Amino acid sequence: MRFVLSDDGIEDNGEFKKLFEESQKKEETGQIKTGKVIAIHPDVLLIDVGEKVEGRLPIEEVTDKDGTIPFKVDDSIEVFVSSGRSERPSVSYKKAIKVTKIQEKIKELGDEFQDKVVEGKIIRKNKGGYVLEEDGVEYFLPRASAALKDPAKSIGKKVKVCIIDVRPEEKSIIVSRKRFFEIDDVRQTEGIKKLLEEEGKVFNGVVKNITSFGMFVEVDGVKGLVHYTEISHRGPVNTAKLYKEGDSVALKVVGYDKEKKRLSFSVKAVTEDPWKEIQKELKKGYTIKVVVSNIEPYGVFVDIGNDIEGFLHISEISWSKDIKHPSDFLKVGEEIDVEVIEIDSVNRRLRVSLKNLLEKPFDGFAKTHKVGDVIKGKVVTLTDFGAFVSFGKVDGLLHNEDAFWEKGIKCKDVLKVGEEIDVCIIKIDTTNQRISLGRRALEESPAEVFAKKHKVDEIVKGKVIDIKDFGVFIEVDGMDALIKNDDLYPLKKDEIQKDSEIEGVILSIDKQSNRVRVSVKRLEQQRQKDEIKAFNFDNKMTLGDKLKDKIQHS
């Protein structure tokens, strides 16, 4: 006695017959006959099948992908013959092939068909359910036993089912997805138990489904998950780039979640962990040869040759700061030398550098330039303390106080980003790899202009413009001059007021530092010397006169 599944469980043939007949209402009945091609027209072949009138076979049923017709007049051809709407019989070459395959499959199954598993694709719906196809053989899947989560999206979906009935007379094989789930639970439980008992064994699995988090693989009918972190020792990978459905893959069982009833597989567990070799053979600072395997906007992944990838960050490709994309410098498949800059065995991270093997731009600059050189550069950054000027691969700092002789002026108030300017190198710091620049050195300092009109020990008079803890500033001919506290004597500082005038002598003129110092004290000293000199001169004249008189009287 044969059984099929319905919504309520197992029913007998009488209940199923009605369901099956509904699915076959639109299906034509007929038989396979050997016909003869009697004519070939542009759109049809006329086939003699022993009826009063020949059958008309659409040309597209026999034309191959190249448009070739594999039959000629008088050739024999197997066709499925059914009653047409008129006296002319309906013939189909494709249906003959389909029915033949079903008959061959039924014969192959024999009486041992019950619960055999079929994995096929749902190709269409009919009134009673769905038609499933596998290796060219069509199976009938009743709607009541389909167990589809989303029937509207079922066409094209690949599913597993069990054969529950075979009908040679109707040329049909009946399958059930519900029944598959029933027996699959038992198979999965037994299969998982068996696989877990063979811990450490390498199994051969078949990729059944690829997802964003890995892939599902089937081993001896048991499905398990290979998480994307368990595919390669190099770390998380894009599974879809490495595998496709149907691929064969060697793996090991690495875990089982009893609550979720999920078996976990690992592909990388089959091979020896290459990180052991990394720890043993590589050291930070080593130079190794690698191949560019993948390029991303933020950097490059490189294959070091043992299923381990190193990462070359975009900042480690070149000393240039103008890199927009790594692909401007490197190509996939290119072989390059890099320096190992980090080996993190815990997080399995290997970082490398390409620029470390190239000459540093600073070193090249230092070889070709010296302090005092005047060079042209481009302003790239403006800050509160100055401007950074680029010379291609290196930048130098132009500090505000080295840019202008006038106090209080800032680079950002005068310069613009992108502007080309001439600057003078005032320092090359090889230890800290810094370049200090000057701009005011290219112009005559106010102190130099002042020195053309005035000289040291010259008496000058200026107006007080600022009073500091360390002294007083006066303005002399447009130049700020400092009188230190020690040089104010005999003036009293607490009695000095702004805008008052002070007279003194020029103590020094520093053209490079743009500084002028004045001293009241020295002026006072000079005056005292002049008075003593004058007094001594007067005394000498009086004594001489007296001596002269004495001589005359004698």
Side-chain angles (χ1 to χ4, degrees):
M1 183 176 183
R2 294 177 181 147
F3 298 93
V4 294
L5 290 176
S6 70
D7 287 329
D8 300 323
I10 297 179
E11 301 286 352
D12 60 22
N13 280 348
E15 192 65 31
F16 173 72
K17 185 176 181 180
K18 181 179 178 182
L19 178 65
F20 182 68
E21 285 176 351
E22 285 182 1
S23 72
Q24 300 292 322
K25 280 182 181 180
K26 293 184 180 181
E27 297 287 336
E28 298 179 46
T29 57
Q31 58 182 320
I32 296 176
K33 288 187 177 182
T34 301
K36 184 177 183 181
V37 180
I38 59 174
I40 300 176
H41 296 294
D43 56 345
V44 297
L45 276 69
L46 297 182
I47 309 296
D48 180 5
V49 290
E51 301 288 336
K52 294 179 181 180
V53 184
E54 69 276 358
R56 296 169 66 86
L57 177 64
I59 197 82
E60 60 267 16
E61 282 207 21
V62 294
T63 304
D64 62 20
K65 62 181 180 179
D66 297 322
T68 304
I69 301 173
F71 298 100
K72 58 184 183 295
V73 175
D74 291 333
D75 278 357
S76 295
I77 183 173
E78 296 287 322
V79 291
F80 185 84
V81 182
S82 57
S83 299
R85 294 182 179 180
S86 59
E87 292 183 357
R88 187 184 299 277
S90 176
V91 296
S92 172
Y93 177 66
K94 287 185 176 180
K95 191 167 183 179
I97 295 174
K98 180 178 72 173
V99 171
T100 299
K101 286 189 175 183
I102 293 175
Q103 289 176 328
E104 289 174 351
K105 188 65 178 180
I106 290 174
K107 184 177 179 181
E108 177 191 325
L109 291 171
D111 295 331
E112 303 297 325
F113 62 82
Q114 197 70 41
D115 289 339
K116 282 190 177 295
V117 177
V118 173
E119 185 173 14
K121 184 184 292 184
I122 299 174
I123 57 173
R124 65 178 182 273
K125 288 183 180 181
N126 59 27
K127 192 170 183 180
Y130 304 87
V131 176
L132 193 78
E133 183 184 54
E134 189 253 353
D135 289 339
V137 179
E138 293 187 357
Y139 301 83
F140 173 56
L141 174 62
R143 184 181 297 106
S145 59
L148 296 171
K149 291 182 179 179
D150 191 350
K153 297 180 180 179
S154 62
I155 304 302
K157 184 178 180 180
K158 206 169 185 180
V159 296
K160 284 187 177 182
V161 293
C162 280
I163 298 175
I164 56 172
D165 200 5
V166 172
R167 300 234 166 184
E169 64 279 5
E170 283 127 7
K171 307 175 188 65
S172 182
I173 303 173
I174 320 303
V175 294
S176 169
R177 195 158 179 254
K178 283 186 176 179
R179 178 60 180 163
F180 170 76
F181 287 147
E182 289 179 359
I183 63 174
D184 189 58
D185 282 345
V186 177
R187 287 177 179 174
Q188 288 290 318
T189 301
E190 293 176 350
I192 288 172
K193 183 180 179 181
K194 181 180 179 182
L195 292 179
L196 291 174
E197 288 175 350
E198 298 181 272
E199 183 180 357
K201 182 180 178 181
V202 177
F203 298 98
N204 190 56
V206 177
V207 178
K208 307 303 291 184
N209 185 30
I210 294 176
T211 70
S212 59
F213 51 84
M215 61 184 180
F216 287 96
V217 179
E218 190 174 276
V219 177
D220 296 336
V222 179
K223 186 181 286 188
L225 173 68
V226 179
H227 194 265
Y228 67 88
T229 59
E230 287 295 329
I231 292 176
S232 171
H233 287 289
R234 68 180 60 176
V237 297
N238 186 335
T239 312
K241 287 185 177 181
L242 302 175
Y243 298 97
K244 62 181 183 299
E245 289 184 16
D247 281 354
S248 180
V249 58
L251 39 72
K252 287 184 178 182
V253 176
V254 292
Y256 178 63
D257 188 330
K258 291 183 179 180
E259 187 176 332
K260 296 180 180 179
K261 294 183 178 180
R262 177 176 292 176
L263 194 64
S264 296
F265 293 123
S266 173
V267 174
K268 71 180 184 181
V270 175
T271 59
E272 185 178 354
D273 187 353
W275 273 97
K276 294 180 180 178
E277 182 183 359
I278 293 291
Q279 291 173 303
K280 181 180 178 181
E281 302 294 337
L282 286 187
K283 295 288 186 296
K284 183 178 177 181
Y286 278 19
T287 298
I288 58 175
K289 195 174 292 293
V290 298
V291 176
V292 176
S293 56
N294 187 30
I295 297 177
E296 299 291 347
Y298 51 86
V300 174
F301 290 93
V302 294
D303 187 353
I304 71 171
N306 64 343
D307 199 35
I308 291 293
E309 278 190 328
F311 181 60
L312 174 64
H313 192 268
I314 188 171
S315 64
E316 293 294 335
I317 293 176
S318 169
W319 291 106
S320 172
K321 298 179 181 179
D322 297 328
I323 298 181
K324 294 180 180 179
H325 197 283
S327 60
D328 296 335
F329 288 78
L330 299 169
K331 291 180 175 59
V332 172
E334 184 177 353
E335 190 176 69
I336 57 174
D337 289 328
V338 292
E339 179 183 310
V340 178
I341 59 175
E342 181 185 8
I343 301 175
D344 185 348
S345 300
V346 176
N347 297 304
R348 293 175 176 261
R349 182 171 58 201
L350 178 69
R351 291 180 59 242
V352 297
S353 173
L354 176 60
K355 73 179 185 181
N356 280 3
L357 301 182
L358 308 175
E359 183 182 53
K360 292 182 180 180
F362 180 89
D363 295 338
F365 184 90
K367 288 178 182 178
T368 56
H369 296 81
K370 63 183 182 300
V371 171
D373 284 354
V374 177
I375 54 177
K376 190 179 293 291
K378 183 181 290 186
V379 177
V380 290
T381 306
L382 292 170
T383 69
D384 283 335
F385 54 82
F388 285 96
V389 181
S390 174
F391 307 109
K393 294 182 179 180
V394 295
D395 293 348
L397 173 61
L398 175 62
H399 202 279
N400 289 331
E401 60 187 35
D402 293 320
F404 311 102
W405 289 111
E406 296 84 351
K407 294 181 179 179
I409 299 180
K410 294 184 177 181
C411 290
K412 68 178 184 179
D413 299 327
V414 178
L415 305 177
K416 294 180 180 179
V417 172
E419 180 181 356
E420 284 195 342
I421 59 173
D422 288 325
V423 290
C424 176
I425 300 174
I426 59 177
K427 186 178 182 181
I428 299 177
D429 184 350
T430 55
T431 302
N432 298 303
Q433 297 200 333
R434 293 174 182 170
I435 303 167
S436 298
L437 308 171
R439 195 159 180 253
R440 69 181 189 180
L442 303 179
E443 302 174 354
E444 196 174 43
S445 72
E448 287 179 290
V449 176
F450 185 83
K452 290 179 180 180
K453 300 179 181 180
H454 305 278
K455 59 182 181 298
V456 174
D457 288 335
E458 179 183 334
I459 298 174
V460 293
K461 183 181 289 185
K463 183 184 292 184
V464 176
I465 57 175
D466 199 3
I467 300 173
K468 300 290 186 181
D469 291 340
F470 52 84
V472 175
F473 282 96
I474 62 173
E475 182 183 344
V476 180
D477 197 10
M479 183 73 194
D480 293 353
L482 171 64
I483 306 174
K484 288 189 174 182
N485 292 334
D486 292 342
D487 291 316
L488 283 171
Y489 180 81
L491 298 180
K492 295 182 179 179
K493 187 178 180 182
D494 57 358
E495 294 178 357
I496 298 174
Q497 295 182 349
K498 287 186 68 173
D499 295 330
S500 61
E501 288 190 338
I502 297 178
E503 190 176 43
V505 296
I506 298 174
L507 196 62
S508 65
I509 301 174
D510 187 340
K511 298 176 183 179
Q512 297 299 318
S513 301
N514 194 40
R515 293 173 183 172
V516 174
R517 284 184 57 192
V518 171
S519 174
V520 178
K521 182 179 180 180
R522 178 172 288 191
L523 175 61
E524 186 64 22
Q525 289 173 343
Q526 284 183 0
R527 284 175 174 171
Q528 287 178 0
K529 285 180 181 179
D530 290 342
E531 287 177 0
I532 293 172
K533 184 177 180 180
F535 175 78
N536 288 337
F537 179 77
D538 290 341
N539 287 341
K540 287 178 182 178
M541 291 298 293
T542 302
L543 180 62
D545 289 343
K546 289 180 177 181
L547 291 172
K548 185 177 180 182
D549 289 341
K550 268 189 175 183
I551 294 170
Q552 288 178 348
H553 285 106
S554 62

